[in-house]
Amino acid sequence: MNLIVSNRERIAIVDDDKAVRDVYAYAIGGDEFEPVDQVGPLGSLDSFLGRHINATAAVSDHKLTQQGNYAQFDGAPLVARWYQKDFPAVLCTTYSVSSADHFRSFRRWIPVVLPPEQLSQETVSEGLGVVRAELAGVFKPERRPRRALVRFVEYVEQNRLVYVKLPGWGTDVVSLRVPDLPSGLRSLVTHVPDFRAYAQVNLATDSPNELYLAEWEFKS
Amino acid sequence: MNSHILDGPTGVEICLLDVGHGSSVYIDTGSAKVLIDTGRNGSVLEFLDQKQIDSIDLVIISHADQDHVGGLFAMLSTGVTVHRVIWNTDGLKHTDQWKDLCYQLDDLEADGKVMASDEVAANMDLSGFGDHVSLEVLAPRLRLRRLGVGNVDSSGGRIRSNTVSAVVRVLVNRLPILLVTGDLDDVGLAHLRDPTFPDLRAKYLLLPHHGGKMGASAAVTKAAVKALVDAVKPEGIFVSNGRTATSRGDNPRHEVLEGAVEAAPTATIACSQLSQSCSPGIAKRFTTPAVHAAGWTQGHSCIGSVVLSGDNGITGPLSSTEHQAFLDVSVPGARCRLMKAEVLGRYESDSS
């Protein structure tokens, strides 16, 4: 029997739809990567993170809870938690202005978001390079976290959004989902007018969609 | 006018930073670190990190617009020590950002961390920031400051934030090297030349308003740019534009370029970022810039950040080999070149 040892990097493919996983695997497959299908159910985020997935990096779709009981979590928190555990991954999703709000609290730990149509061996290779550089402490200027003043200007109860301004970044108003904020901050920003706090923000980005706010500092 | 004079440019460096749409000029006087404006956002922090600078002796804020003052917020929040801020007051700047800055600087001054009570003013004393370099503040004059933004001057000119822009001339060993003009507009320019222009000559001019409007019409803007360039007589003209700026990604405006080239046909013109009107697509380079340039890695920079030091730009000509090669290869539609060819052609046909 001949034993064939692959030099390709094993990339976990995560999506709740088997057909989509196959498409992703086909898109990135080739000389560089060997796709590793992650078959559900994946269970809770903590249990999946404790599972051996036989890969050194991953590509995950964002929506993981639409089909059956594939996962009890979505891709953005998964990729963010992987980053915090020094495991590189790329999030694959269509990125709209509305989803920018949804991802903003995770983006500190999600350096690369690729739309499905751009998924390829080349883009994943480049994306994982960016993630690995950040994990080694090397940031692109537009991704580097900086301590920044954040002023909360409005709370809209109906959709549980708060609007903030960042004088060190620009004049645009940026929205955040209240449930994504630390629990101690939520009541302050929904009750105290003009509340000011500090957060780690990638101040050098030009794009509101790429802007993240994380690691809050505030006085109650 | 106070000038502090020295004998050698050792250690002196002037950097016109590519911060996207916005302005920031860094000056190392050899013994002090100075910023004239700080750009719109945290981009200036990248430059300071690269230079391992965690303390700035003097920040001059030309006027109260975000694209000149935003970086100061980023510096203060991040913990960069700023010893002194000289800023332009603007009582009508009813933006939250401006209010934040007023409160933040007032608190810092009360805590003894920043000296921020100085209003930028023509002829103010800026000695004490190094022996090699002198900084001359040429505008705004007293009557503009006291009339204030929102008022109308005796000629009927509306005083706006841009009108009261600080105009600062940087001299190295008595040589006038750079004129920084904030967002000066035609009304501010009229005051600057009343009754006659002060000596504005400088080797380099940073054009006002990122190559945008200086007046209500194209004709007014062109005339203002032409008058300014004619008074400065620069060898090099710089534009602090930003490619991704909403509705201004195509700066410099046609009339700005035309006015500049007509006034100084042999001067080189260089924009920090690649105007959308010169190249609809980005143009990536794979070289490393001398200092941080906000648009470099994304393919947004044209000349990027410019460093003037020693015989490269201060006592001698500024090397532009990389930039010229970039234009040759990547920007066939470079409007600075096309405008020069057009104006020079016009002059030749007029003389024949």
mmCIF file of all heavy atoms in Angstrom, chain B residues 30-78:
data_model
loop_
_atom_site.group_PDB
_atom_site.id
_atom_site.type_symbol
_atom_site.label_atom_id
_atom_site.label_comp_id
_atom_site.label_asym_id
_atom_site.label_seq_id
_atom_site.Cartn_x
_atom_site.Cartn_y
_atom_site.Cartn_z
ATOM 1 N N GLY B 30 14.612 69.577 15.426
ATOM 2 C CA GLY B 30 15.912 69.187 15.963
ATOM 3 C C GLY B 30 15.865 69.123 17.476
ATOM 4 O O GLY B 30 16.536 68.301 18.091
ATOM 5 N N SER B 31 15.024 69.960 18.055
ATOM 6 C CA SER B 31 14.884 69.914 19.511
ATOM 7 C C SER B 31 13.420 69.883 19.951
ATOM 8 O O SER B 31 13.143 69.744 21.130
ATOM 9 C CB SER B 31 15.581 71.116 20.148
ATOM 10 O OG SER B 31 15.024 72.311 19.663
ATOM 11 N N ALA B 32 12.514 70.004 19.013
ATOM 12 C CA ALA B 32 11.092 69.959 19.356
ATOM 13 C C ALA B 32 10.311 69.301 18.224
ATOM 14 O O ALA B 32 10.754 69.300 17.068
ATOM 15 C CB ALA B 32 10.562 71.374 19.600
ATOM 16 N N LYS B 33 9.195 68.734 18.598
ATOM 17 C CA LYS B 33 8.341 68.057 17.624
ATOM 18 C C LYS B 33 7.019 68.825 17.532
ATOM 19 O O LYS B 33 6.361 69.054 18.548
ATOM 20 C CB LYS B 33 8.103 66.614 18.057
ATOM 21 C CG LYS B 33 9.391 65.781 18.014
ATOM 22 C CD LYS B 33 9.241 64.448 18.692
ATOM 23 C CE LYS B 33 10.506 63.603 18.545
ATOM 24 N NZ LYS B 33 11.768 64.319 18.787
ATOM 25 N N VAL B 34 6.674 69.167 16.305
ATOM 26 C CA VAL B 34 5.524 70.049 16.076
ATOM 27 C C VAL B 34 4.608 69.409 15.032
ATOM 28 O O VAL B 34 5.087 68.813 14.068
ATOM 29 C CB VAL B 34 6.003 71.433 15.563
ATOM 30 C CG1 VAL B 34 4.819 72.346 15.265
ATOM 31 C CG2 VAL B 34 6.956 72.089 16.563
ATOM 32 N N LEU B 35 3.320 69.536 15.239
ATOM 33 C CA LEU B 35 2.353 69.148 14.203
ATOM 34 C C LEU B 35 1.511 70.366 13.840
ATOM 35 O O LEU B 35 1.005 71.065 14.734
ATOM 36 C CB LEU B 35 1.416 68.053 14.710
ATOM 37 C CG LEU B 35 1.898 66.612 14.646
ATOM 38 C CD1 LEU B 35 0.931 65.705 15.414
ATOM 39 C CD2 LEU B 35 2.019 66.118 13.201
ATOM 40 N N ILE B 36 1.397 70.624 12.554
ATOM 41 C CA ILE B 36 0.421 71.611 12.101
ATOM 42 C C ILE B 36 -0.738 70.814 11.521
ATOM 43 O O ILE B 36 -0.598 70.159 10.493
ATOM 44 C CB ILE B 36 1.003 72.546 11.026
ATOM 45 C CG1 ILE B 36 2.265 73.241 11.544
ATOM 46 C CG2 ILE B 36 -0.048 73.574 10.586
ATOM 47 C CD1 ILE B 36 2.981 74.077 10.500
ATOM 48 N N ASP B 37 -1.841 70.795 12.237
ATOM 49 C CA ASP B 37 -3.012 69.981 11.940
ATOM 50 C C ASP B 37 -2.694 68.488 12.133
ATOM 51 O O ASP B 37 -1.536 68.074 12.118
ATOM 52 C CB ASP B 37 -3.581 70.253 10.538
ATOM 53 C CG ASP B 37 -4.282 71.613 10.462
ATOM 54 O OD1 ASP B 37 -4.829 72.036 11.495
ATOM 55 O OD2 ASP B 37 -4.268 72.233 9.384
ATOM 56 N N THR B 38 -3.762 67.736 12.295
ATOM 57 C CA THR B 38 -3.559 66.342 12.702
ATOM 58 C C THR B 38 -4.355 65.348 11.864
ATOM 59 O O THR B 38 -4.459 64.178 12.227
ATOM 60 C CB THR B 38 -3.971 66.176 14.183
ATOM 61 O OG1 THR B 38 -5.341 66.573 14.332
ATOM 62 C CG2 THR B 38 -3.100 67.010 15.104
ATOM 63 N N GLY B 39 -4.909 65.814 10.744
ATOM 64 C CA GLY B 39 -5.684 64.909 9.898
ATOM 65 C C GLY B 39 -7.044 64.599 10.502
ATOM 66 O O GLY B 39 -7.431 65.133 11.538
ATOM 67 N N ARG B 40 -7.740 63.706 9.836
ATOM 68 C CA ARG B 40 -9.147 63.441 10.171
ATOM 69 C C ARG B 40 -9.321 62.366 11.238
ATOM 70 O O ARG B 40 -10.273 62.363 11.993
ATOM 71 C CB ARG B 40 -9.855 62.988 8.886
ATOM 72 C CG ARG B 40 -11.320 62.695 9.001
ATOM 73 C CD ARG B 40 -11.890 62.454 7.620
ATOM 74 N NE ARG B 40 -11.204 61.391 6.909
ATOM 75 C CZ ARG B 40 -11.552 60.119 6.957
ATOM 76 N NH1 ARG B 40 -12.581 59.729 7.686
ATOM 77 N NH2 ARG B 40 -10.886 59.203 6.270
ATOM 78 N N ASN B 41 -8.401 61.408 11.256
ATOM 79 C CA ASN B 41 -8.623 60.263 12.146
ATOM 80 C C ASN B 41 -7.293 59.769 12.713
ATOM 81 O O ASN B 41 -6.343 60.538 12.844
ATOM 82 C CB ASN B 41 -9.379 59.155 11.401
ATOM 83 C CG ASN B 41 -8.605 58.618 10.204
ATOM 84 O OD1 ASN B 41 -7.402 58.841 10.079
ATOM 85 N ND2 ASN B 41 -9.282 57.919 9.327
ATOM 86 N N GLY B 42 -7.237 58.487 13.010
ATOM 87 C CA GLY B 42 -6.054 57.949 13.682
ATOM 88 C C GLY B 42 -4.868 57.700 12.775
ATOM 89 O O GLY B 42 -3.867 57.130 13.211
ATOM 90 N N SER B 43 -4.944 58.121 11.536
ATOM 91 C CA SER B 43 -3.838 57.856 10.612
ATOM 92 C C SER B 43 -2.529 58.455 11.114
ATOM 93 O O SER B 43 -1.460 57.863 10.966
ATOM 94 C CB SER B 43 -4.190 58.414 9.230
ATOM 95 O OG SER B 43 -3.178 58.098 8.333
ATOM 96 N N VAL B 44 -2.614 59.628 11.741
ATOM 97 C CA VAL B 44 -1.389 60.284 12.222
ATOM 98 C C VAL B 44 -0.696 59.426 13.283
ATOM 99 O O VAL B 44 0.533 59.475 13.441
ATOM 100 C CB VAL B 44 -1.710 61.701 12.762
ATOM 101 C CG1 VAL B 44 -2.528 61.647 14.041
ATOM 102 C CG2 VAL B 44 -0.448 62.509 12.978
ATOM 103 N N LEU B 45 -1.481 58.581 13.980
ATOM 104 C CA LEU B 45 -0.881 57.720 14.999
ATOM 105 C C LEU B 45 0.068 56.701 14.377
ATOM 106 O O LEU B 45 1.059 56.306 14.991
ATOM 107 C CB LEU B 45 -1.971 56.988 15.789
ATOM 108 C CG LEU B 45 -2.922 57.857 16.610
ATOM 109 C CD1 LEU B 45 -4.013 57.000 17.244
ATOM 110 C CD2 LEU B 45 -2.154 58.616 17.679
ATOM 111 N N GLU B 46 -0.258 56.269 13.171
ATOM 112 C CA GLU B 46 0.623 55.307 12.491
ATOM 113 C C GLU B 46 1.987 55.931 12.243
ATOM 114 O O GLU B 46 3.020 55.302 12.427
ATOM 115 C CB GLU B 46 -0.008 54.869 11.158
ATOM 116 C CG GLU B 46 -1.297 54.087 11.293
ATOM 117 C CD GLU B 46 -1.086 52.760 12.018
ATOM 118 O OE1 GLU B 46 -0.042 52.125 11.843
ATOM 119 O OE2 GLU B 46 -1.997 52.384 12.792
ATOM 120 N N PHE B 47 1.961 57.180 11.823
ATOM 121 C CA PHE B 47 3.218 57.898 11.594
ATOM 122 C C PHE B 47 3.993 58.052 12.900
ATOM 123 O O PHE B 47 5.192 57.797 12.965
ATOM 124 C CB PHE B 47 2.920 59.266 10.972
ATOM 125 C CG PHE B 47 4.104 60.185 10.933
ATOM 126 C CD1 PHE B 47 5.082 60.039 9.953
ATOM 127 C CD2 PHE B 47 4.259 61.177 11.877
ATOM 128 C CE1 PHE B 47 6.184 60.874 9.926
ATOM 129 C CE2 PHE B 47 5.351 62.022 11.860
ATOM 130 C CZ PHE B 47 6.323 61.870 10.878
ATOM 131 N N LEU B 48 3.294 58.459 13.954
ATOM 132 C CA LEU B 48 3.967 58.671 15.250
ATOM 133 C C LEU B 48 4.539 57.357 15.775
ATOM 134 O O LEU B 48 5.663 57.323 16.295
ATOM 135 C CB LEU B 48 2.993 59.285 16.260
ATOM 136 C CG LEU B 48 2.448 60.672 15.908
ATOM 137 C CD1 LEU B 48 1.447 61.141 16.974
ATOM 138 C CD2 LEU B 48 3.566 61.697 15.770
ATOM 139 N N ASP B 49 3.784 56.268 15.607
ATOM 140 C CA ASP B 49 4.296 54.949 16.026
ATOM 141 C C ASP B 49 5.570 54.604 15.277
ATOM 142 O O ASP B 49 6.546 54.151 15.851
ATOM 143 C CB ASP B 49 3.264 53.858 15.709
ATOM 144 C CG ASP B 49 2.205 53.745 16.777
ATOM 145 O OD1 ASP B 49 2.261 54.520 17.756
ATOM 146 O OD2 ASP B 49 1.311 52.884 16.636
ATOM 147 N N GLN B 50 5.503 54.802 13.969
ATOM 148 C CA GLN B 50 6.646 54.444 13.126
ATOM 149 C C GLN B 50 7.893 55.220 13.548
ATOM 150 O O GLN B 50 8.992 54.697 13.538
ATOM 151 C CB GLN B 50 6.290 54.740 11.667
ATOM 152 C CG GLN B 50 7.282 54.216 10.667
ATOM 153 C CD GLN B 50 6.933 54.684 9.253
ATOM 154 O OE1 GLN B 50 6.596 55.849 9.033
ATOM 155 N NE2 GLN B 50 6.994 53.773 8.316
ATOM 156 N N LYS B 51 7.676 56.467 13.914
ATOM 157 C CA LYS B 51 8.799 57.320 14.328
ATOM 158 C C LYS B 51 9.118 57.156 15.817
ATOM 159 O O LYS B 51 10.006 57.833 16.322
ATOM 160 C CB LYS B 51 8.444 58.793 14.070
ATOM 161 C CG LYS B 51 8.414 59.174 12.616
ATOM 162 C CD LYS B 51 9.815 59.543 12.198
ATOM 163 C CE LYS B 51 9.850 60.220 10.857
ATOM 164 N NZ LYS B 51 11.246 60.525 10.464
ATOM 165 N N GLN B 52 8.339 56.307 16.480
ATOM 166 C CA GLN B 52 8.504 56.086 17.927
ATOM 167 C C GLN B 52 8.400 57.398 18.709
ATOM 168 O O GLN B 52 9.203 57.694 19.585
ATOM 169 C CB GLN B 52 9.824 55.380 18.207
ATOM 170 C CG GLN B 52 9.886 54.001 17.549
ATOM 171 C CD GLN B 52 11.159 53.260 17.867
ATOM 172 O OE1 GLN B 52 12.255 53.754 17.649
ATOM 173 N NE2 GLN B 52 11.018 52.066 18.404
ATOM 174 N N ILE B 53 7.393 58.161 18.329
ATOM 175 C CA ILE B 53 7.137 59.452 18.988
ATOM 176 C C ILE B 53 5.932 59.297 19.915
ATOM 177 O O ILE B 53 4.848 58.911 19.470
ATOM 178 C CB ILE B 53 6.835 60.542 17.931
ATOM 179 C CG1 ILE B 53 8.061 60.782 17.059
ATOM 180 C CG2 ILE B 53 6.377 61.834 18.607
ATOM 181 C CD1 ILE B 53 7.788 61.607 15.819
ATOM 182 N N ASP B 54 6.114 59.552 21.179
ATOM 183 C CA ASP B 54 4.977 59.481 22.103
ATOM 184 C C ASP B 54 4.714 60.826 22.776
ATOM 185 O O ASP B 54 3.928 60.908 23.724
ATOM 186 C CB ASP B 54 5.183 58.385 23.153
ATOM 187 C CG ASP B 54 6.455 58.593 23.961
ATOM 188 O OD1 ASP B 54 7.073 59.663 23.834
ATOM 189 O OD2 ASP B 54 6.829 57.675 24.722
ATOM 190 N N SER B 55 5.383 61.851 22.279
ATOM 191 C CA SER B 55 5.214 63.163 22.893
ATOM 192 C C SER B 55 5.398 64.247 21.832
ATOM 193 O O SER B 55 6.362 64.219 21.060
ATOM 194 C CB SER B 55 6.276 63.306 23.993
ATOM 195 O OG SER B 55 6.296 64.612 24.480
ATOM 196 N N ILE B 56 4.453 65.167 21.771
ATOM 197 C CA ILE B 56 4.515 66.273 20.812
ATOM 198 C C ILE B 56 4.589 67.581 21.597
ATOM 199 O O ILE B 56 3.808 67.797 22.528
ATOM 200 C CB ILE B 56 3.265 66.269 19.898
ATOM 201 C CG1 ILE B 56 3.264 65.034 18.982
ATOM 202 C CG2 ILE B 56 3.186 67.536 19.061
ATOM 203 C CD1 ILE B 56 4.270 65.042 17.865
ATOM 204 N N ASP B 57 5.531 68.423 21.230
ATOM 205 C CA ASP B 57 5.710 69.671 21.965
ATOM 206 C C ASP B 57 4.641 70.703 21.621
ATOM 207 O O ASP B 57 4.212 71.464 22.483
ATOM 208 C CB ASP B 57 7.108 70.236 21.671
ATOM 209 C CG ASP B 57 8.178 69.285 22.164
ATOM 210 O OD1 ASP B 57 8.396 69.222 23.382
ATOM 211 O OD2 ASP B 57 8.768 68.559 21.331
ATOM 212 N N LEU B 58 4.253 70.741 20.366
ATOM 213 C CA LEU B 58 3.305 71.770 19.941
ATOM 214 C C LEU B 58 2.399 71.233 18.843
ATOM 215 O O LEU B 58 2.877 70.638 17.873
ATOM 216 C CB LEU B 58 4.076 72.991 19.403
ATOM 217 C CG LEU B 58 3.245 74.086 18.732
ATOM 218 C CD1 LEU B 58 2.328 74.768 19.733
ATOM 219 C CD2 LEU B 58 4.156 75.121 18.065
ATOM 220 N N VAL B 59 1.110 71.434 19.008
ATOM 221 C CA VAL B 59 0.147 71.160 17.934
ATOM 222 C C VAL B 59 -0.522 72.484 17.574
ATOM 223 O O VAL B 59 -1.046 73.174 18.452
ATOM 224 C CB VAL B 59 -0.920 70.132 18.366
ATOM 225 C CG1 VAL B 59 -1.999 70.001 17.290
ATOM 226 C CG2 VAL B 59 -0.289 68.771 18.636
ATOM 227 N N ILE B 60 -0.477 72.828 16.321
ATOM 228 C CA ILE B 60 -1.199 74.006 15.835
ATOM 229 C C ILE B 60 -2.406 73.506 15.038
ATOM 230 O O ILE B 60 -2.238 72.732 14.091
ATOM 231 C CB ILE B 60 -0.313 74.884 14.918
ATOM 232 C CG1 ILE B 60 0.931 75.360 15.672
ATOM 233 C CG2 ILE B 60 -1.113 76.069 14.373
ATOM 234 C CD1 ILE B 60 1.946 76.080 14.789
ATOM 235 N N ILE B 61 -3.582 73.900 15.449
ATOM 236 C CA ILE B 61 -4.799 73.520 14.715
ATOM 237 C C ILE B 61 -5.216 74.723 13.871
ATOM 238 O O ILE B 61 -5.572 75.777 14.410
ATOM 239 C CB ILE B 61 -5.928 73.120 15.696
ATOM 240 C CG1 ILE B 61 -5.514 71.880 16.508
ATOM 241 C CG2 ILE B 61 -7.232 72.877 14.949
ATOM 242 C CD1 ILE B 61 -5.279 70.630 15.704
ATOM 243 N N SER B 62 -5.185 74.537 12.557
ATOM 244 C CA SER B 62 -5.419 75.677 11.668
ATOM 245 C C SER B 62 -6.850 76.194 11.764
ATOM 246 O O SER B 62 -7.097 77.393 11.698
ATOM 247 C CB SER B 62 -5.099 75.310 10.214
ATOM 248 O OG SER B 62 -6.051 74.387 9.715
ATOM 249 N N HIS B 63 -7.796 75.295 11.905
ATOM 250 C CA HIS B 63 -9.197 75.690 12.065
ATOM 251 C C HIS B 63 -9.984 74.482 12.533
ATOM 252 O O HIS B 63 -9.418 73.402 12.714
ATOM 253 C CB HIS B 63 -9.750 76.289 10.768
ATOM 254 C CG HIS B 63 -9.859 75.322 9.644
ATOM 255 N ND1 HIS B 63 -8.773 74.665 9.118
ATOM 256 C CD2 HIS B 63 -10.935 74.888 8.941
ATOM 257 C CE1 HIS B 63 -9.170 73.871 8.135
ATOM 258 N NE2 HIS B 63 -10.467 73.987 8.015
ATOM 259 N N ALA B 64 -11.282 74.679 12.703
ATOM 260 C CA ALA B 64 -12.061 73.730 13.506
ATOM 261 C C ALA B 64 -12.704 72.597 12.719
ATOM 262 O O ALA B 64 -13.712 72.045 13.156
ATOM 263 C CB ALA B 64 -13.146 74.501 14.269
ATOM 264 N N ASP B 65 -12.152 72.208 11.592
ATOM 265 C CA ASP B 65 -12.767 71.135 10.815
ATOM 266 C C ASP B 65 -12.173 69.776 11.188
ATOM 267 O O ASP B 65 -10.983 69.654 11.470
ATOM 268 C CB ASP B 65 -12.565 71.377 9.314
ATOM 269 C CG ASP B 65 -13.560 72.392 8.768
ATOM 270 O OD1 ASP B 65 -14.451 72.826 9.525
ATOM 271 O OD2 ASP B 65 -13.426 72.756 7.583
ATOM 272 N N GLN B 66 -13.043 68.760 11.111
ATOM 273 C CA GLN B 66 -12.659 67.402 11.509
ATOM 274 C C GLN B 66 -11.408 66.918 10.778
ATOM 275 O O GLN B 66 -10.569 66.242 11.365
ATOM 276 C CB GLN B 66 -13.825 66.444 11.206
ATOM 277 C CG GLN B 66 -13.532 64.970 11.433
ATOM 278 C CD GLN B 66 -13.524 64.577 12.897
ATOM 279 O OE1 GLN B 66 -14.100 65.274 13.730
ATOM 280 N NE2 GLN B 66 -12.873 63.471 13.224
ATOM 281 N N ASP B 67 -11.279 67.266 9.495
ATOM 282 C CA ASP B 67 -10.147 66.731 8.729
ATOM 283 C C ASP B 67 -8.826 67.418 9.079
ATOM 284 O O ASP B 67 -7.782 67.097 8.501
ATOM 285 C CB ASP B 67 -10.422 66.793 7.218
ATOM 286 C CG ASP B 67 -10.893 68.149 6.744
ATOM 287 O OD1 ASP B 67 -11.182 69.008 7.593
ATOM 288 O OD2 ASP B 67 -10.968 68.352 5.520
ATOM 289 N N HIS B 68 -8.874 68.336 10.018
ATOM 290 C CA HIS B 68 -7.645 68.966 10.512
ATOM 291 C C HIS B 68 -7.442 68.687 11.999
ATOM 292 O O HIS B 68 -6.326 68.779 12.490
ATOM 293 C CB HIS B 68 -7.691 70.482 10.269
ATOM 294 C CG HIS B 68 -7.717 70.835 8.816
ATOM 295 N ND1 HIS B 68 -6.646 71.396 8.160
ATOM 296 C CD2 HIS B 68 -8.685 70.668 7.874
ATOM 297 C CE1 HIS B 68 -6.956 71.575 6.888
ATOM 298 N NE2 HIS B 68 -8.191 71.145 6.679
ATOM 299 N N VAL B 69 -8.527 68.359 12.675
ATOM 300 C CA VAL B 69 -8.455 68.269 14.138
ATOM 301 C C VAL B 69 -8.702 66.853 14.673
ATOM 302 O O VAL B 69 -8.357 66.558 15.822
ATOM 303 C CB VAL B 69 -9.465 69.269 14.760
ATOM 304 C CG1 VAL B 69 -10.883 68.749 14.701
ATOM 305 C CG2 VAL B 69 -9.107 69.619 16.181
ATOM 306 N N GLY B 70 -9.271 65.974 13.845
ATOM 307 C CA GLY B 70 -9.666 64.643 14.334
ATOM 308 C C GLY B 70 -8.510 63.851 14.921
ATOM 309 O O GLY B 70 -8.664 63.152 15.923
ATOM 310 N N GLY B 71 -7.336 63.965 14.299
ATOM 311 C CA GLY B 71 -6.184 63.210 14.790
ATOM 312 C C GLY B 71 -5.762 63.619 16.192
ATOM 313 O O GLY B 71 -5.176 62.821 16.924
ATOM 314 N N LEU B 72 -6.074 64.854 16.572
ATOM 315 C CA LEU B 72 -5.728 65.303 17.930
ATOM 316 C C LEU B 72 -6.527 64.510 18.966
ATOM 317 O O LEU B 72 -6.005 64.124 20.012
ATOM 318 C CB LEU B 72 -5.974 66.813 18.072
ATOM 319 C CG LEU B 72 -5.683 67.424 19.445
ATOM 320 C CD1 LEU B 72 -4.235 67.184 19.874
ATOM 321 C CD2 LEU B 72 -5.962 68.934 19.426
ATOM 322 N N PHE B 73 -7.801 64.264 18.679
ATOM 323 C CA PHE B 73 -8.594 63.400 19.558
ATOM 324 C C PHE B 73 -7.937 62.032 19.691
ATOM 325 O O PHE B 73 -7.826 61.482 20.782
ATOM 326 C CB PHE B 73 -9.995 63.166 18.984
ATOM 327 C CG PHE B 73 -10.931 64.302 19.174
ATOM 328 C CD1 PHE B 73 -11.252 65.119 18.122
ATOM 329 C CD2 PHE B 73 -11.506 64.536 20.406
ATOM 330 C CE1 PHE B 73 -12.137 66.156 18.286
ATOM 331 C CE2 PHE B 73 -12.391 65.571 20.585
ATOM 332 C CZ PHE B 73 -12.709 66.391 19.516
ATOM 333 N N ALA B 74 -7.564 61.485 18.536
ATOM 334 C CA ALA B 74 -6.956 60.152 18.548
ATOM 335 C C ALA B 74 -5.681 60.169 19.387
ATOM 336 O O ALA B 74 -5.433 59.252 20.170
ATOM 337 C CB ALA B 74 -6.663 59.710 17.110
ATOM 338 N N MET B 75 -4.892 61.228 19.254
ATOM 339 C CA MET B 75 -3.647 61.314 20.019
ATOM 340 C C MET B 75 -3.936 61.400 21.508
ATOM 341 O O MET B 75 -3.317 60.707 22.319
ATOM 342 C CB MET B 75 -2.852 62.543 19.555
ATOM 343 C CG MET B 75 -2.280 62.400 18.159
ATOM 344 S SD MET B 75 -1.828 63.988 17.415
ATOM 345 C CE MET B 75 -0.619 64.591 18.559
ATOM 346 N N LEU B 76 -4.873 62.258 21.876
ATOM 347 C CA LEU B 76 -5.157 62.456 23.301
ATOM 348 C C LEU B 76 -5.752 61.198 23.923
ATOM 349 O O LEU B 76 -5.407 60.826 25.051
ATOM 350 C CB LEU B 76 -6.108 63.646 23.486
ATOM 351 C CG LEU B 76 -5.547 65.018 23.083
ATOM 352 C CD1 LEU B 76 -6.623 66.090 23.147
ATOM 353 C CD2 LEU B 76 -4.367 65.414 23.963
ATOM 354 N N SER B 77 -6.638 60.523 23.196
ATOM 355 C CA SER B 77 -7.268 59.318 23.743
ATOM 356 C C SER B 77 -6.282 58.169 23.863
ATOM 357 O O SER B 77 -6.391 57.334 24.762
ATOM 358 C CB SER B 77 -8.432 58.867 22.849
ATOM 359 O OG SER B 77 -9.401 59.863 22.777
ATOM 360 N N THR B 78 -5.326 58.125 22.941
ATOM 361 C CA THR B 78 -4.384 57.005 22.920
ATOM 362 C C THR B 78 -3.271 57.187 23.945
ATOM 363 O O THR B 78 -2.562 56.241 24.249
ATOM 364 C CB THR B 78 -3.778 56.871 21.507
ATOM 365 O OG1 THR B 78 -4.840 56.865 20.575
ATOM 366 C CG2 THR B 78 -2.995 55.601 21.330
#
